């Protein structure tokens, strides 16, 4: 419930814009359930977005490492 309340205060458009800057390209539902993680993302998009947090807010295009 807390995440939905925060989402309501911040606004859906703002949240979606941040997700786009973090590399998310998949369609995101414009409803409050977005705060609960109801939109589908690929594993690559999800890990790329978390990588943005680890990289002090700078999104980098994911790179494949092959051994």
């Amino acid at each position: 419930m807390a995440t939905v309340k925060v989402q309501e205060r911040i606004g859906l458009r703002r949240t979606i814009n941040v997700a786009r800057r973090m590399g998310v390209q998949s369609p995101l539902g414009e409803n409050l359930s977005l705060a609960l993680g109801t939109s589908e993302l690929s594993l690559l998009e999800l890990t790329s977005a978390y990588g943005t947090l680890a990289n002090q807010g700078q999104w980098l295009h994911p790179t494949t490492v092959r051994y």
Side-chain angles (χ1 to χ4, degrees), residues 4-63:
V4 174
K5 288 183 180 182
V6 169
Q7 176 64 72
E8 194 172 35
R9 282 187 169 188
I10 292 173
L12 293 167
R13 187 72 353 229
R14 191 178 215 182
T15 301
I16 291 171
N17 288 340
V18 169
R20 296 290 181 231
R21 289 196 320 256
M22 294 176 77
V24 175
Q25 297 299 315
S26 294
L28 299 172
E30 292 193 34
N31 53 55
L32 289 177
S33 68
L34 181 63
L36 302 174
T38 56
S39 295
E40 293 182 24
L41 301 179
S42 70
L43 181 57
L44 183 60
E45 282 180 313
L46 188 59
T47 54
S48 175
Y50 278 117
T52 303
L53 297 175
N55 197 31
Q56 300 177 359
Q58 284 292 326
W59 180 80
L60 298 173
H61 186 65
T63 303

